Amino acid sequence: MKFSEQWLREWVQPKTKSGEQVSTEQLAHQVTMAGLEVDGIEAVAGEFSGVVVGEVVKREQHPDADKLSLCQVSDGTETFQIVCGAPNVREGLKIPFAKIGAVLPGDFKIKKAKLRGVESFGMLCAEKELGISDANDGLMELPADAPVGEDFRKYMNLDDAIIEVDLTPNRADCLSMAGLAREVGVLNKADLTELKIDAVAPAIDDKASIEVLAPEQCPRYMGRIVKGVNVTAATPLWMVEKLRRGGIRSIDPVVDITNFVLLELGQPMHAFDLAQIEGGIRVRMAEEGEKLTLLDGQEVALNSDTVVIADHAKPLAMGGIMGGEHSGVSENTQDLLLEAAFFSPLAIAGRARNYGLHTDSSHRFERGVDYNLAAKAMERATALILDICGGQPGPVVEVSAEENLPKQAQIHLRRARAELILGIKLEDSEIEDILTRLGMQVTATEDGWDVIAPSYRFDMAIEPDLIEELARIHGYENLPVRIPTAASPLARLPENRLPMGDLRRQMVARGYQEAITYSFVDPQIQKAMDPANAPIALLNPISTEMSVMRTDLLAGLVQAVSYNLKRQQPRVRLFETGLRFIPDGDKLAQIPTLAFAATGSRQAQGWAEPAADVDFFDVKGDVEALLARTGTLKQYRFVAGQHPALHPGQTAIIEKADENGQWATVGVIGALHPSLYKTVGTKQSIILVQLDLEAVRETAIPDFSELSKYPEMRRDLALVVASEAPVDQVLEAIRAKAGDYLTKLNLFDVYVGKGIDPDRKSLALGLTWQHPSRTLTDEEVNDSVSNVLAHLEESLGATLRG
């Protein structure tokens, strides 16, 4: 919001402690430190001197130029010959006149000149030439009553500054001169020059017919008929200038007055041409698709969630946003219907943006306008219209739904709480003074105060809001600087859980980089990756490609891998930890998950290793390394399985045994199914893993066992088993019968080919025994081997290779 410093000082006179006027810079600093950030300060006009109010007493055509005029211009005491090229110069016109010796912005000095053979003794000025605005299509026209010869700068009050304030959305109460002046008065303990607004007595009996059919959206609507207005009257210069310095251009006196009241009091208003209203006013919700042509000429199809001001035949305006073109004031208007209303912020919020609009009215209503201000604004606007345009006013008609109007916030402020948060003890008298000057009703209690917020403070709701006000007005810079003190006990770290930092370091050590993808993904890819779970659709998605919540992490990871592959990154290894969202009836299960993906070469390019692509077993090794970090690797197993997004011949289900030996699925590993390459946007295989994070983080608590000093006994077995027999089953069968002293078991060779049945394979295994307190005998080890072989033959049909 922009405001004129001179206009502000008409309302309040801020002074320093020594009694001097607060300077412009000091005022800007005060406002900024109070939370109303000043974005900039600019002069109302450029620096110039020697410019007076002049009058064109005679105009003739230049003898040698069609586009130049030869004028006689008076400064009140003498007449000067001026050559002028402005199209709007005419006899009787009053204009800024720069006399010889004047200095215009840019250090441009006015001298006697000769234009096309005719001498010119000065210059008639446009607004741009004086640094007032960018208008340069003609001379700046002054009112007919402008005093000829008076210093133009003084006459226009141009020794002023325009201060631009960037208000946060919660401070709608300062979107007016009254609100800003109130704030400056509180900061400087200065009294306001209250605007005296008397009720305008009706001169006619004509009443507006008003019907409010949307009381929740518009709890208060006021209207007044004013007949016989002169819309061709000139807007007073003082009003035009205040509007201009507030960033609003002058249009016609009626519109200027409603805009002036908007800037002065903060109440948006609108004036309808009474002749264009059929029947009476009806405040209702729009019908879906209903058409309305706005004041800017744009035709919009209204949505059913939009409040409209209508008559009995058609919509007239978008409530709280913009008026309609055909019902607005025109040069033929004689009778007005003035409108002032309160619209619920929720009824206006976002509606203007839905139509690509942003107006001064919507800016204020969606943040909150004082719901008790409409009557005051109506009287102010009526008085100004009568003073400038004439006319006869009728009585004010008000329709209110008190139950739908906001209620003033009632808040209890505790003295101890204020001291704790502020870090300083304010005297009770200062607290009461600050809150009272802010317009609040304050009642002392035993432990603090009961406070009723004024109707214009929509941001007051809870105790911290009041404490923030105390900090603002007392001055943030006056609050003590203290190091925060708080109890900070060390958090307990359970030994049976792998810290997330360790997990991430383990993945990075294996060559992976951490990725963070969106929790919402492309529904097409999500369905392809996890068709079993229907994802939750977002009500307001960023885009159609990010419109559902992920039910697994793989959908986002494969997109990240594809993105990198398309940008000449042939070797990609990514991992991610996060939540996946699984609908469970009326509830939503949010499951912590770890996923990783690998594609491209097994090793980074180098001379030491032959080039080869990463495969299923490389990534399986990464999984086993991670599980080994927890010390519970023996509790896991990999079982051949199926997954709709993974290659049927390269997929394994990861299972974990519980305390009772029951196996439960905790993850899956496999290569991306070739049929999904096109969907994902890749041309090469991607190995994917997904694990329940909580299962992976469970670790074994270290338990010391004494190292045996006795020798190991090893036996190597070459077993022939069926080709389809998983090695895991063979190893489990051996552990089951090898006895308590088996310490090592490893597979060191697999052979198929000559000398072996085509339907069978040979496994070479090394078994190692060691006793903790004595040396094992050959007989004991041989007995264990015999037990193992017998069990393998019985359970798996395994035999020793001959």
Side-chain angles (χ1 to χ4, degrees):
M1 175 185 172
K2 294 182 178 180
F3 67 91
S4 160
E5 182 184 359
Q6 280 187 1
W7 192 9
L8 177 68
R9 292 183 187 273
E10 291 176 14
W11 280 76
V12 63
Q13 290 290 333
K15 295 183 179 181
T16 64
K17 292 181 179 179
S18 59
E20 299 174 352
Q21 288 284 342
V22 170
S23 68
T24 302
E25 290 72 21
Q26 289 173 324
L27 179 62
H29 177 73
Q30 284 182 357
V31 172
T32 297
M33 291 307 295
L36 314 178
E37 182 180 357
V38 172
D39 272 355
I41 303 173
E42 58 179 292
V44 166
E47 287 294 327
F48 62 84
S49 61
V51 181
V52 299
V53 175
E55 181 179 8
V56 180
V57 296
K58 185 178 181 181
R59 177 207 171 266
E60 298 176 345
Q61 184 66 43
H62 191 289
D64 295 324
D66 293 338
K67 294 185 178 180
L68 294 180
S69 300
L70 188 60
C71 304
Q72 298 298 318
V73 179
S74 171
D75 70 348
T77 57
E78 55 181 312
T79 302
F80 301 85
Q81 178 174 280
I82 304 293
V83 177
C84 177
N88 62 330
V89 65
R90 60 187 182 276
E91 289 184 10
L93 180 66
K94 292 185 178 180
I95 33 70
F97 172 34
K99 301 169 70 173
I100 291 176
V103 180
L104 300 188
D107 200 28
F108 178 68
K109 297 179 181 179
I110 302 299
K111 301 177 182 178
K112 184 174 71 172
K114 185 176 286 188
L115 299 175
R116 301 295 292 268
V118 177
E119 289 186 321
S120 181
F121 299 89
M123 176 179 171
L124 307 185
C125 302
E127 292 182 11
K128 185 174 182 179
E129 292 161 338
L130 298 174
I132 293 176
S133 74
D134 292 332
N136 197 32
D137 53 353
L139 300 177
M140 181 178 180
E141 300 189 15
L142 302 180
D145 60 355
V148 178
E150 183 172 345
D151 182 88
F152 176 74
R153 194 173 194 92
K154 180 181 178 182
Y155 169 68
M156 293 288 291
N157 290 319
L158 295 180
D159 292 324
D160 187 12
I162 297 174
I163 301 176
E164 184 173 2
V165 177
D166 185 14
L167 296 174
T168 52
N170 64 314
R171 293 309 307 272
D173 60 296
C174 290
L175 284 169
S176 66
M177 186 54 62
L180 281 169
R182 183 169 52 231
E183 194 78 4
V184 172
V186 172
L187 294 172
N188 291 276
K189 296 185 178 181
D191 295 331
L192 292 184
T193 302
E194 289 290 344
L195 182 65
K196 186 178 180 182
I197 300 177
D198 296 324
V200 177
I204 57 177
D205 295 330
D206 298 59
K207 290 184 178 181
S209 172
I210 298 173
E211 184 180 6
V212 178
L213 303 178
E216 290 185 12
Q217 291 77 15
C218 180
R220 174 167 286 156
Y221 191 92
M222 306 179 74
R224 169 180 247 167
I225 291 174
V226 183
K227 286 193 168 183
V229 297
N230 176 19
V231 297
T232 61
T235 304
L237 180 64
W238 62 266
M239 183 178 289
V240 172
E241 277 299 292
K242 285 180 176 178
L243 290 174
R244 181 181 71 81
R245 298 176 197 188
I248 299 177
R249 66 182 180 88
S250 175
I251 298 175
D252 64 55
V254 175
V255 175
D256 290 348
I257 287 168
T258 57
N259 284 335
F260 178 77
V261 172
L262 172 81
L263 289 183
E264 183 180 56
L265 301 178
Q267 172 67 52
M269 296 187 67
H270 187 66
F272 295 104
D273 185 340
L274 187 63
Q276 302 299 321
I277 299 176
E278 301 179 51
I281 291 294
R282 302 176 76 232
V283 183
R284 59 174 173 82
M285 303 305 294
E287 298 175 6
E288 188 68 32
E290 192 173 17
K291 299 292 178 61
L292 174 65
T293 302
L294 301 174
L295 283 171
D296 60 2
Q298 174 186 356
E299 184 181 72
V300 295
L302 300 172
N303 301 323
S304 59
D305 64 349
T306 303
V307 182
V308 294
I309 313 302
D311 57 21
H312 285 76
K314 60 187 179 300
L316 304 174
M318 294 172 65
I321 299 176
M322 185 181 288
E325 181 180 48
H326 302 299
S327 62
V329 175
S330 69
E331 59 184 11
N332 299 318
T333 300
Q334 295 182 351
D335 303 326
L336 303 175
L337 173 60
L338 274 181
E339 163 200 272
F342 170 75
F343 294 97
S344 168
L346 292 178
I348 304 300
R351 303 304 190 277
R353 288 189 293 277
N354 289 342
Y355 299 98
L357 302 172
H358 181 79
T359 65
D360 289 325
S361 292
S362 67
H363 185 75
R364 286 163 173 80
F365 275 127
E366 66 185 6
R367 286 160 173 77
V369 173
D370 183 358
Y371 48 91
N372 291 324
L373 185 59
K376 186 177 181 181
M378 179 66 75
E379 301 296 347
R380 175 64 166 160
T382 303
L384 289 171
I385 288 174
L386 298 181
D387 186 44
I388 297 170
C389 305
Q392 294 180 305
V396 177
V397 178
E398 177 182 351
V399 178
S400 294
E402 295 293 336
E403 67 277 10
N404 294 317
L405 286 170
K407 301 295 186 291
Q408 291 176 251
Q410 299 185 19
I411 310 167
H412 181 65
L413 174 61
R414 292 168 292 173
R415 184 181 295 102
R417 187 65 177 170
E419 181 179 349
L420 175 65
I421 293 179
L422 296 177
I424 186 174
K425 180 177 175 58
L426 298 180
E427 295 295 329
D428 288 2
S429 57
E430 182 178 0
I431 292 176
E432 292 173 4
D433 180 58
I434 289 174
L435 296 178
T436 301
R437 284 189 284 118
L438 284 168
M440 302 185 188
Q441 301 174 37
V442 182
T443 304
T445 63
E446 184 176 347
D447 64 338
W449 300 267
D450 287 331
V451 180
I452 300 177
S455 57
Y456 50 81
R457 289 304 297 268
F458 278 73
D459 57 325
M460 293 291 104
I462 58 177
E463 185 179 38
D465 295 332
L466 295 177
I467 297 174
E468 180 185 4
E469 293 300 289
L470 297 177
R472 285 194 321 107
I473 306 305
H474 180 75
Y476 291 122
E477 66 271 36
N478 296 324
L479 296 178
V481 178
R482 295 180 180 175
I483 298 175
T485 57
S488 54
L490 294 176
R492 290 179 177 272
L493 295 177
E495 291 186 76
N496 62 344
R497 280 177 64 81
L498 181 68
M500 287 299 297
D502 285 6
L503 184 147
R504 292 187 174 100
R505 282 189 287 272
Q506 175 72 21
M507 294 304 301
V508 171
R510 301 293 296 185
Y512 291 83
Q513 292 179 304
E514 185 171 12
I516 300 175
T517 65
Y518 284 103
S519 295
F520 21 92
V521 294
D522 188 325
Q524 181 181 358
I525 294 179
Q526 181 59 73
K527 183 177 180 180
M529 299 302 296
D530 186 15
N533 292 305
I536 294 177
L538 299 176
L539 294 177
N540 187 23
I542 295 175
S543 66
T544 55
E545 290 78 18
M546 305 174 72
S547 59
V548 299
M549 300 298 291
R550 65 188 181 193
T551 59
D552 61 26
L553 270 59
L554 300 180
L557 269 187
V558 293
Q559 288 180 282
V561 171
S562 174
Y563 183 90
N564 281 273
L565 291 175
K566 291 175 181 177
R567 283 154 182 80
Q568 291 78 49
Q569 297 295 323
R571 184 175 186 269
V572 182
R573 292 188 169 213
L574 300 175
F575 80 95
E576 180 178 12
T577 58
L579 297 175
R580 52 194 176 103
F581 305 90
I582 309 296
D584 183 14
D586 295 334
K587 298 180 179 179
L588 180 66
Q590 302 184 48
I591 304 172
T593 304
L594 165 68
F596 44 102
T599 188
S601 59
R602 177 178 292 130
Q603 300 288 341
Q605 188 177 20
W607 60 268
E609 296 286 343
D613 287 340
V614 66
D615 61 20
F616 176 92
F617 293 102
D618 293 321
V619 179
K620 180 174 178 285
D622 295 331
V623 176
E624 290 177 332
L626 177 63
L627 299 178
R629 176 70 179 79
T630 68
T632 60
L633 180 58
K634 292 181 180 180
Q635 294 178 245
Y636 292 87
R637 71 180 182 183
F638 295 79
V639 181
Q642 299 292 321
H643 188 283
L646 303 179
H647 194 296
Q650 299 183 49
T651 300
I653 304 300
I654 305 172
E655 296 182 342
K656 182 180 182 181
D658 61 17
E659 297 176 353
N660 300 319
Q662 299 297 315
W663 294 96
T665 300
V666 296
V668 64
I669 175 174
L672 181 68
H673 199 293
S675 65
L676 297 181
Y677 285 5
K678 185 176 181 180
T679 302
V680 172
T682 183
K683 295 182 179 179
Q684 65 190 57
S685 175
I686 304 174
I687 311 300
L688 301 170
V689 177
Q690 183 164 271
L691 293 160
D692 288 347
L693 186 59
E694 294 304 313
V696 174
R697 294 184 65 190
E698 292 180 5
T699 62
I701 298 177
D703 184 21
F704 174 76
S705 58
E706 187 175 352
L707 296 177
S708 176
K709 61 183 180 180
Y710 297 96
E712 296 177 339
M713 300 284 284
R714 173 173 172 135
R715 296 288 188 271
D716 291 343
L717 302 177
L719 301 174
V720 178
V721 298
S723 297
E724 67 274 8
V727 173
D728 243 3
Q729 288 187 11
V730 176
L731 299 180
E732 286 182 22
I734 293 173
R735 292 191 185 98
K737 294 296 181 179
D740 296 336
Y741 306 128
L742 181 72
T743 57
K744 298 177 185 176
L745 173 61
N746 65 298
L747 173 72
F748 60 85
D749 186 40
V750 178
Y751 173 76
V752 292
K754 186 177 179 181
I756 300 295
D757 189 320
D759 296 328
R760 298 173 75 78
K761 60 185 175 184
S762 173
L763 306 177
L765 300 131
L767 291 76
T768 303
W769 287 265
Q770 186 179 32
H771 198 284
S773 58
R774 63 180 177 84
T775 301
L776 291 171
T777 64
D778 286 336
E779 289 78 8
E780 290 175 310
V781 173
N782 291 338
D783 287 344
S784 294
V785 171
S786 298
N787 292 336
V788 166
L789 292 175
H791 182 62
L792 288 172
E793 183 175 6
E794 180 183 348
S795 60
L796 298 174
T799 60
L800 281 175
R801 181 178 171 187

